[in-house]
Amino acid sequence: MPLPIEFYDRDPVTVARELLGTKLVRERGGRVTSGIIVETEAYLARGDAACHAFRGQTRRNAAMFGPPGRAYVYAIHAHHCLNVVTEAAGVPSAVLVRAIAPLEGLALMKRRRRTRDPTRIGAGPGNLCQALLITRAHNEWDLTAGQTLWVSAPDGAQRFAIACGPRIGVTAAHDLPLRFVVKGSPHLSKPLLAAGRGRRVKKR
DNA sequence: ACGGGGATCGGCT
DNA sequence: GCCGATCCCCGTA
């Protein structure tokens, strides 16, 4: 069962934390590939200079201004990144999915990624989109419909620790701990920075 | 029409 | 750490 719209219609920090351990599923031509989400980042509607919506709505970020539970997919260099849109329409927040632990369709994902190492298949937002064949064609896709691309609750109950730290690859608002990971997962895009070990701050 | 930059990745030093 | 690939999008004119 896909997660319902109510799951997404909450603040992005809550959604980012609760997405950990859920299953991201891609179906194509009767074949399923999927993975457990192990790393996310929240992008806030207000006061977050790193958020794509910070300077208002454009054609690129329009999905973030739409209803919750839709995909926001954007291209960067030769890669794609998948976000889930959070909060009500008009409140432009989202959660970036940064890493998955591969689950179903491992052989197919290995072929798409051109690697045999399972820990590198879904490690990174561009990499997981390559593994699951997610492209800009999925921008604004309704993730609650349970077709082609969706998120579902994990099959069984599981316990894990959540850790947080600064977001990857952003210079603005680097002090905010808006990156969330399943502690100790071998599938993370990068190790979590220890407290006090963030990006060097310019001295004066 | 043009120029610059980016929520990345992988390879190299 | 640094750099290049590679391309879409955005701001400016």
Side-chain angles (χ1 to χ4, degrees), chain A residues 140-151:
Chain A
E140 304 198 10
W141 190 264
D142 183 359
L143 299 170
T144 68
Q147 291 187 3
T148 303
L149 180 65
W150 69 95
V151 185

Side-chain angles (χ1 to χ4, degrees), chain A residues 45 51-62 64-65 92:
Chain A
C51 181
H52 283 177
F54 185 66
R55 288 171 183 80
Q57 183 170 348
T58 64
R59 191 165 76 250
R60 175 213 202 193
N61 65 21
M64 290 184 77
F65 290 79

Side-chain angles (χ1 to χ4, degrees), chain A residues 75 122 190:
Chain A
K190 288 183 167 59

Side-chain angles (χ1 to χ4, degrees), chain A residues 10-76:
Chain A
R10 298 181 294 170
D11 75 274
V13 170
T14 299
V15 174
R17 295 178 62 93
E18 295 196 12
L19 272 177
L20 297 178
T22 64
K23 185 166 70 166
L24 179 63
V25 186
R26 170 80 161 99
E27 187 276 331
R28 179 176 184 264
R31 292 192 187 234
V32 168
T33 47
S34 71
I36 300 296
I37 296 176
V38 295
E39 177 178 344
T40 57
E41 284 179 358
Y43 286 86
L44 313 182
R46 298 174 63 92
D48 183 3
C51 181
H52 283 177
F54 185 66
R55 288 171 183 80
Q57 183 170 348
T58 64
R59 191 165 76 250
R60 175 213 202 193
N61 65 21
M64 290 184 77
F65 290 79
R70 305 287 183 94
Y72 165 43
V73 182
Y74 68 91
I76 179 168

Side-chain angles (χ1 to χ4, degrees), chain A residues 166-167 169-172 174-175 193-194 196-202:
Chain A
R167 293 173 293 185
V170 303
T171 54
H174 196 261
D175 53 313
L193 293 176
R197 290 293 204 83
R199 160 184 275 265
R200 182 181 295 270
V201 176
K202 189 192 292 184

